């Protein structure tokens, strides 16, 4: 009976994801601005409702991430078109800082060999070049220097987030690291599509992919919390690190 309840809970959580994706596809196809503004702020509350059905614990870094993300999702409802992008960028930037601050101490430098180190350096250089290229383009088409600056800072924080998540995955290959990496990549993809649709070319399909990537990232974030809460209570940072890096393949 307990296993049956668990399976149903997981199905309901996936059902919430499918419902939010369907609502956003409908909104982007219909191009109803009011509908689009009102659906994105629903992402986090809907997931929280289903999360708290079986989970009662959520640590401070996750709470702050959800708070800033929710404010970023809701920015379009409180600010005009001239300021909502900057407001949402600041909120998302703060949310990414919360995730980086949480996951960075779990990066185990002792497990990084020369091959992994070279691979990570190569990935960092590629991403920095890609970021510099986009930044140079935005400087020529975006008149607001603050918005360009926020794009650069937010992009750097997201690169650090993905690199750290990728490094942890390469050195541990745990279920937690896989969930965190997928979440980080989803947020990066969503952010890139958001800037493309706002500053380069607008199409409903790009906006739909942006929304879907964002909601998928939130889905894996909550799945990460669920798995993190299954770890035994840690007495100190050393025990926390060992619990986090236990290989799921063993």
């Amino acid at each position: 009976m307990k296993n049956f309840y668990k399976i149903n809970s997981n199905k309901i959580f996936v059902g919430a994801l499918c419902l939010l994706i369907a609502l956003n596809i409908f909104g982007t196809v219909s191009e109803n601005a009011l509908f689009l503004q009102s659906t994105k702020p629903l992402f986090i509350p809907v997931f929280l409702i289903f999360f708290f059905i079986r989970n009662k614990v959520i640590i401070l870094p996750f709470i702050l991430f959800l708070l800033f993300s929710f404010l970023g999702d809701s920015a379009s409802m409180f600010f005009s078109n001239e300021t909502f992008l900057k407001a949402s960028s600041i909120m998302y930037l703060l949310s990414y800082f919360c995730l980086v601050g949480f996951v960075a101490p779990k990066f185990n430098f002792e497990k990084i060999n020369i091959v992994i180190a070279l691979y990570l350096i190569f990935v960092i250089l590629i991403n920095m070049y890609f970021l510099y290229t986009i930044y140079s383009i935005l400087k020529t088409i975006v008149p607001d220097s603050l918005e360009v600056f926020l794009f650069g800072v937010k992009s750097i924080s997201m690169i650090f987030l993905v690199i750290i998540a990728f490094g942890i995955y390469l050195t541990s290959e745990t279920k937690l690291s896989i969930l965190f990496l997928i979440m980080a990549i989803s947020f990066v993809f969503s952010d890139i599509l958001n800037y493309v649709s706002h500053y380069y070319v607008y199409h409903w399909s790009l906006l739909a992919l942006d929304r879907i990537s964002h909601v998928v990232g939130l889905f894996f974030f909550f799945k990460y919390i669920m798995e993190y809460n299954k770890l035994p209570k840690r007495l100190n940072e050393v025990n926390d690190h060992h619990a986090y890096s236990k290989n799921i393949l063993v």
Side-chain angles (χ1 to χ4, degrees):
M1 187 69 179
K2 184 178 179 180
N3 291 334
F4 178 78
Y5 176 72
K6 182 179 179 180
I7 292 174
N8 277 348
S9 298
N10 289 331
K11 286 183 178 179
I12 292 174
F13 205 72
V14 174
L17 169 66
C18 296
L19 174 63
L20 291 174
I21 290 176
L23 286 175
N24 280 279
I25 292 177
F26 173 78
T28 52
V29 172
S30 63
E31 297 186 340
N32 187 317
L34 181 60
F35 187 83
L36 287 173
Q37 285 182 347
S38 59
T39 52
K40 194 170 186 180
L42 291 176
F43 290 174
I44 291 176
V46 168
F47 278 133
L48 274 176
I49 291 172
F50 292 104
F51 173 80
F52 282 120
I53 292 176
R54 287 183 52 83
N55 298 264
K56 306 300 181 183
V57 178
I58 181 169
I59 61 176
L60 182 60
F62 297 154
I63 294 175
L64 292 176
F65 168 79
L66 291 174
L67 174 62
F68 291 129
S69 293
F70 176 74
L71 293 175
D73 293 343
S74 308
S76 61
M77 301 181 66
F78 303 103
F79 298 97
S80 63
N81 291 333
E82 291 77 15
T83 58
F84 101 87
L85 273 178
K86 291 189 284 292
S88 63
S89 293
I90 292 173
M91 292 299 105
Y92 288 137
L93 174 62
L94 294 174
S95 70
Y96 298 144
F97 281 165
C98 293
L99 290 181
V100 172
F102 167 76
V103 77
K106 304 181 185 301
F107 193 90
N108 190 357
F109 288 95
E110 296 177 358
K111 289 188 176 183
I112 298 179
N113 56 41
I114 186 64
V115 176
I116 294 178
L118 291 175
Y119 190 70
L120 288 176
I121 291 173
F122 176 75
V123 173
I124 291 173
L125 292 176
I126 292 296
N127 279 275
M128 293 304 292
Y129 174 77
F130 181 67
L131 171 61
Y132 175 77
T133 302
I134 297 179
Y135 182 82
S136 300
I137 296 173
L138 283 179
K139 285 178 64 177
T140 61
I141 62 177
V142 180
D144 193 334
S145 58
L146 177 59
E147 176 61 25
V148 178
F149 172 76
L150 288 173
F151 165 80
V153 177
K154 185 172 65 170
S155 298
I156 291 174
S157 68
M158 296 183 74
I159 289 175
F160 273 108
L161 181 65
V162 172
I163 293 301
I164 293 173
F166 191 51
I168 292 175
Y169 167 72
L170 290 177
T171 56
S172 64
E173 295 184 359
T174 64
K175 185 175 182 179
L176 281 171
S177 64
I178 294 171
L179 292 173
F180 199 92
L181 179 60
I182 296 174
M183 175 206 69
I185 292 175
S186 298
F187 286 144
V188 169
F189 190 57
S190 172
D191 195 66
I192 292 174
L193 289 174
N194 181 266
Y195 274 91
V196 169
S197 61
H198 272 94
Y199 293 118
Y200 185 64
V201 58
Y202 175 83
H203 193 269
W204 70 265
S205 61
L206 293 177
L207 183 59
L209 286 175
D210 166 24
R211 293 294 189 91
I212 291 172
S213 298
H214 187 73
V215 75
V216 167
L218 288 173
F219 172 79
F220 281 101
F221 171 76
F222 280 100
K223 294 294 289 184
Y224 177 88
I225 300 177
M226 293 175 185
E227 292 299 321
Y228 185 84
N229 287 344
K230 292 178 183 178
L231 296 176
K233 292 183 179 180
R234 290 154 292 275
L235 299 178
N236 50 52
E237 290 299 321
V238 174
N239 290 337
D240 177 66
H241 174 74
H242 288 323
Y244 186 90
S245 59
K246 182 179 179 182
N247 198 314
I248 61 173
L249 300 179
V250 177

